Amino acid sequence: MSEVPEGLKYTSSHEWVRAESDGTVTVGITDHAQELLGDLVFVELPEVGRGVGGGEECGVVESVKAASDVYSPLAGEITAVNGALTDAPELVNQSPFADGWLFRLRPADSAALDKLLDAKAYQAQLDDEA
């Protein structure tokens, strides 16, 4: 059973989003997504400073099984990427909600965060997909 922490927001495409105190959000892929992919061998991250639209493809995670696009959950500007993943993409498997974060972005509209799924709604989606 996949972990779905409370206090985060989720997308239907299996990204998680955590609001930070400085107004940015941290984004990663969910425990469910990393379990489906299996052992990650490569992570392609967006460039810092890039503007992205909500739902726009902005990265790739590649495992021994498959490659999967990563979508920006919100419109905004990429402010940081997790450079540790270049040498250690397995961090996403080992710690998807902490050390395995993918990128941070400054949302163009912070109210858009409220439109994402909460933990209960995301768990319901996972239950429907099972």
Side-chain angles (χ1 to χ4, degrees):
M1 181 137 198
S2 300
E3 182 182 358
V4 182
E6 294 285 335
L8 300 178
K9 293 290 192 170
Y10 298 90
T11 67
S12 59
S13 54
H14 306 291
E15 287 86 12
W16 60 261
V17 182
R18 181 179 58 231
E20 305 294 347
S21 60
D22 65 357
T24 63
V25 298
T26 301
V27 178
I29 64 170
T30 65
D31 190 38
H32 174 77
Q34 68 83 21
E35 285 177 355
L36 286 179
L37 286 165
D39 295 336
L40 292 186
V41 294
F42 178 76
V43 177
E44 180 183 313
L45 299 170
E47 289 184 30
V48 173
R50 175 180 165 186
V52 293
E56 181 180 329
E57 176 188 320
C58 65
V60 175
V61 289
E62 187 175 327
S63 72
V64 294
K65 292 181 183 176
S68 181
D69 294 328
V70 176
Y71 300 94
S72 177
L74 303 167
E77 179 182 342
I78 304 295
T79 61
V81 296
N82 186 353
L85 299 179
T86 302
D87 294 329
E90 66 274 13
L91 288 174
V92 176
N93 297 113
Q94 296 166 353
S95 180
F97 298 107
D99 296 336
W101 64 277
L102 300 179
F103 59 90
R104 291 194 173 108
L105 96 115
R106 182 167 304 283
D109 176 10
S110 58
L113 188 63
D114 295 334
K115 296 178 182 169
L116 300 177
L117 302 172
D118 62 14
K120 184 177 178 181
Y122 181 66
Q123 183 63 57
Q125 176 186 313
L126 295 181
D127 293 344
D128 287 346
E129 291 177 358

